[in-house]
Amino acid sequence: MPDSETYGVRVEKKLDQLRLEMGELNNNVIRLTERNEYYQSQAVANRRDIDLLQADMNQAKGGLTFAKAMGGSAIGLLIAFGSWVFQSNTGLAKENAGLNQKLAIIESKQIRMDTDLAAMRNQIDQQKK
């Protein structure tokens, strides 16, 4: 009989060992399940954060596009204003040249008239003498 008790004791030890291992496995499964649930909730939170960042990025892209359009318009207006000023300056230069030409003609006519007037005075003075 001592052999059968030894066998029973061995079976009992094996069962105890199996119970301990099963308890450890249960604890491991519980811990892993909790971790998995945490990771899943974290993944949902991360997805929500990513969606918010994506929306913010799209809004920023829209603002940047608007700013680019406004900058391009401003540059276009600046170029148009510069060309208008240049054309106005060219027109004024042509008008100034025309006025200078007319002034030169008027001055030459005045000189001729002064010369003719001086000649007439000389003739009048010579006739009086």
Side-chain angles (χ1 to χ4, degrees):
M1 293 263 190
D3 286 336
S4 67
E5 283 181 27
T6 312
Y7 179 75
V9 170
R10 277 192 277 158
V11 168
E12 234 179 83
K13 284 183 182 180
K14 280 286 186 185
L15 285 175
D16 286 341
Q17 185 180 0
L18 283 175
R19 274 191 211 124
L20 285 174
E21 288 177 7
M22 287 298 287
E24 286 179 23
L25 279 175
N26 273 341
N27 288 339
N28 286 340
V29 167
I30 290 170
R31 273 197 322 261
L32 290 174
T33 302
E34 288 173 352
R35 280 186 186 170
N36 188 31
E37 288 173 357
Y38 171 76
Y39 290 147
Q40 285 178 348
S41 68
Q42 194 65 29
V44 168
N46 287 344
R47 181 77 244 159
R48 191 175 35 238
D49 290 344
I50 288 170
D51 290 341
L52 289 173
L53 288 173
Q54 186 76 30
D56 289 345
M57 185 183 70
N58 288 338
Q59 185 178 8
K61 279 184 180 178
L64 185 59
T65 302
F66 179 73
K68 283 180 182 178
M70 293 302 291
S73 298
I75 289 172
L77 286 173
L78 187 62
I79 290 171
F81 179 73
S83 62
W84 175 76
V85 166
F86 181 74
Q87 286 177 343
S88 296
N89 189 26
T90 304
L92 288 174
K94 286 180 182 178
E95 191 175 323
N96 192 21
L99 289 174
N100 283 339
Q101 187 178 13
K102 286 179 183 179
L103 182 63
I105 291 170
I106 290 172
E107 285 177 347
S108 70
K109 284 182 180 181
Q110 184 182 3
I111 290 171
R112 246 185 284 139
M113 287 173 63
D114 286 343
T115 305
D116 290 345
L117 182 64
M120 288 168 82
R121 281 189 185 154
N122 281 337
Q123 283 179 357
I124 292 175
D125 285 340
Q126 285 179 0
Q127 285 177 357
K128 284 185 182 179
K129 292 184 180 181

